[in-house]
Amino acid sequence: MTDNEWEPKIVAFCCNWCSYGGADTAGMGRFQQPSSLRIIRVMCSGRIDPMHVLNAFLEGADAVLVTGCHIGDCHYVNGNYKAEVRYRFLEEMVRELGLEPERLQLNWISASEGEKFANFVRDVTAQVKQLGPSPLKPEGVN
Amino acid sequence: MVRVGDKLIGYATDPDVRSRGASGGLVTAVLAAALEKGLVEGVVVLKRIDEYEAIPVITDDVQEVLASGGSMHAVPVNLAKYAAGRKIAMPGKPCDVRGVIEQAKRNGVDLESTYIVGLNCGGTMHPVVTREMLVRMYETDPEDVAGEEIEKGKLIFRTKDGEEKAISIDELEDAGYGRRENCRYCTVKIPTSADLACGNWGVIGEVAGSATFCEVMNEKGKRLLDNAIDVGFVEVRPADGKAIAIREKVNSAMLKLGDEWKERVFTGIPDQERLTYYMEQFADCIHCGACKEVCPVCTCGEDSKCTMFHSLADNYRMSMYHMVRLLHLSDSCIGCGQCSDVCPVDIPVTSIFRRFADPAQKKRNYEPGMDLTRPPFLEVMLK
């Protein structure tokens, strides 16, 4: 990688009980992954308010990832169902706004799936690099 | 005794109310009777200022109800928020009724003690545009107008010296006047979610113009109408098949016209240009918050996400305020058009909200404000 190549800024919301562990596992397993990721730990994906996601875009995120436990595995019974309902909604909104749909992604990742987490981040980074910086990025943020 | 589901033709017994009311004064009489018998503590009525302006007031005086403004096409105020926290009866266009029901879903209104008399609505007009229209299209001084009426697709204005002038609504709308934009593509013309659905569609023969077609939608509607008949304020008789058929015909013609308008208004913006379009529209926003203040489905109050997380100091490309509102309204926007009406910088807020809300609501087969059984879908699990 050359020094002047653009690196996307990706915000990932990770559930404390699964995907946050997954990110940890990815590190422990020494899976190579890009440094473009900023993780925000939440206690449950059900805690993610659509507003958090929109705010991330407005603050200059090039992509936002919503991650949580596999359906049926929620630590709080049904938080991830709620997250999915909201996500489907946000997805439509992002599309209607005219943002590329690749900029918002959902994935269910358990604590043991370190490789899946690393691959997911790598995929998204590659996709976003193709798309370029987000059109919602405020002036002065890179 | 009337039954739920009955379709009736009725009018006020008081000759004075009957002649002054728009079509037989049934609605006025029903509301007055509810107050007279203590069914409710107050009634929302429009207090007329002039032909183009009226203020909604809550009154507990029967005489004031009987003397109220009646139906006015140029007063597009949404009454939903007047029902919050009170034991009242109110008349309402379909969007008023839907607003009340959305408020009830969010615990803003107690439907058990709120009686709504729905009025058929083909659309309302913006007061300022109406004045302009009178000068340009009708060549009439707005101050000379004594009454207006919509009949057979024509908008008729009557002047103080008894002259009448009619122009077809299509012609007016092609010239940029006529109904407000959101009314043109509105999908609910008969307020079936109200307790009583009233209107002059289907009133034919010798009673045309002096009676109201009234459908009893639920138990509360039955209570309301029975009460009015008991007090002797109202007389009703069953509507015949022809009347029912004509009402249906008018309704479906209006809905069809609405669909045509929908296609005209919501022309697709290409994918690549949409974000720029929204950013440019919202760039004019001065953050006065008026669109939120008048919104009949917003129940957040002062501590709402849209205002609390919005700061003018942020140099965001698009305001957080509108992003949150776009999201919040996707599941509940009823398209009443109030936000566009009050916007001081003329952002087409309603049509932008509808661009988001319409596909989302259609996809989930959800029509906000039409029944209480389905909660707002963003707040609950769908599975």
Side-chain angles (χ1 to χ4, degrees), chain A residues 49 59 89 92 95-96, chain B residues 274 278 305 316 363 377:
Chain A
D49 192 303
E59 291 279 359
F89 221 56
E92 285 162 30
R95 228 172 262 251
E96 177 58 41
Chain B
R274 264 207 306 274
Y278 293 128
K305 279 180 192 166
Y316 295 159
K363 192 175 165 192
F377 56 72

Side-chain angles (χ1 to χ4, degrees), chain B residues 89-101:
Chain B
M90 56 177 267
K93 308 178 287 298
C95 52
D96 294 316
V97 181
R98 295 172 76 189
V100 173
I101 292 189

Side-chain angles (χ1 to χ4, degrees), chain B residues 30-283:
Chain B
V30 164
L31 292 171
L35 199 55
E36 174 92 17
K37 270 283 175 184
L39 218 55
V40 291
E41 285 160 0
V43 170
V44 182
V45 291
L46 286 183
K47 196 168 183 181
R48 203 185 195 100
I49 294 174
D50 60 22
E51 199 56 46
Y52 318 96
E53 219 173 325
I55 342 168
V57 288
I58 300 171
T59 172
D60 55 2
D61 180 4
V62 177
Q63 289 313 313
E64 204 171 341
V65 177
L66 291 173
S68 67
S71 88
M72 296 169 80
H73 285 107
V75 185
V77 195
N78 197 296
L79 303 176
K81 284 198 163 169
Y82 288 82
R86 298 182 187 92
K87 201 175 166 187
I88 55 148
M90 56 177 267
K93 308 178 287 298
C95 52
D96 294 316
V97 181
R98 295 172 76 189
V100 173
I101 292 189
E102 283 300 306
Q103 290 274 330
K105 282 181 190 174
R106 293 162 176 80
N107 301 325
V109 167
D110 177 18
L111 267 193
E112 264 315 301
S113 56
T114 307
Y115 293 87
I116 323 168
V117 183
L119 312 167
N120 294 352
C121 173
T124 51
M125 299 174 304
H126 199 285
V128 176
V129 179
T130 310
R131 278 172 185 268
E132 198 182 301
M133 174 174 74
L134 278 164
V135 176
R136 295 253 174 92
M137 305 289 289
Y138 287 79
E139 289 161 356
T140 305
D141 182 0
E143 302 306 326
D144 274 349
V145 170
E148 35 87 11
E149 207 177 335
I150 294 178
E151 214 180 281
K152 299 201 174 81
K154 284 190 176 157
L155 180 61
I156 308 158
F157 279 100
R158 205 173 49 249
T159 54
K160 279 175 185 153
D161 29 285
E163 247 179 275
E164 277 191 10
K165 197 168 180 193
I167 299 181
S168 91
I169 291 179
D170 290 337
E171 193 186 327
L172 293 172
E173 279 169 10
D174 284 334
Y177 299 106
R179 295 172 295 163
R180 289 146 77 227
E181 191 185 68
N182 59 293
C183 293
R184 298 177 195 175
Y185 56 77
C186 176
T187 52
V188 181
K189 310 288 184 190
I190 297 180
T192 50
S193 53
D195 302 323
L196 290 173
C198 302
N200 64 357
W201 303 351
V203 180
I204 43 165
E206 80 278 12
V207 287
S210 62
T212 305
F213 189 110
C214 174
E215 187 176 354
V216 184
M217 298 310 302
N218 56 26
E219 276 299 321
K220 268 194 307 163
K222 174 181 143 51
R223 218 178 303 154
L224 206 53
L225 199 54
D226 273 339
N227 172 62
I229 297 169
D230 285 348
V231 191
F233 277 24
V234 162
E235 259 172 44
V236 292
R237 57 182 164 83
D240 55 14
K242 201 175 164 199
I244 296 169
I246 287 180
R247 178 176 180 248
E248 265 319 302
K249 209 173 127 192
V250 175
N251 186 36
S252 54
M254 294 293 269
L255 288 177
K256 203 174 143 229
L257 188 67
D259 285 340
E260 282 165 24
W261 267 107
K262 201 175 237 174
E263 274 166 39
R264 273 171 75 173
V265 175
F266 295 104
T267 44
I269 310 168
D271 276 4
Q272 319 83 274
E273 289 162 32
R274 264 207 306 274
L275 191 66
T276 332
Y277 169 77
Y278 293 128
M279 284 199 292
E280 274 172 11
Q281 292 292 351
F282 287 136

Side-chain angles (χ1 to χ4, degrees), chain A residues 49-52 54-60 71 78 81-82 84-99 134-141, chain B residues 271-272 274-276 278-279 305-306 309 314-320 322-324 326-328 330-331 355-356 359-361 363-364 377-383:
Chain A
D49 192 303
M51 202 188 69
H52 298 148
L54 296 176
N55 206 33
F57 277 121
L58 292 176
E59 291 279 359
I71 294 291
N78 57 15
Y81 280 108
K82 290 172 182 158
E84 190 177 356
V85 170
R86 289 180 200 141
Y87 174 82
R88 297 289 163 224
F89 221 56
L90 260 176
E91 201 182 22
E92 285 162 30
M93 190 181 155
V94 162
R95 228 172 262 251
E96 177 58 41
L97 268 179
L99 277 179
S134 158
L136 276 180
K137 204 186 272 289
E139 261 170 72
V141 177
Chain B
D271 276 4
Q272 319 83 274
R274 264 207 306 274
L275 191 66
T276 332
Y278 293 128
M279 284 199 292
K305 279 180 192 166
C306 52
F309 291 85
D314 295 327
N315 67 337
Y316 295 159
R317 286 291 170 97
M318 208 165 127
S319 81
M320 189 70 196
H322 287 289
M323 290 277 239
V324 175
L326 279 176
L327 193 94
H328 265 193
S330 295
D331 69 340
R355 278 180 192 274
F356 285 81
Q361 290 169 359
K363 192 175 165 192
R364 290 160 181 88
F377 56 72
L378 186 58
E379 329 222 324
V380 290
M381 279 200 315
L382 284 181
K383 295 181 186 174

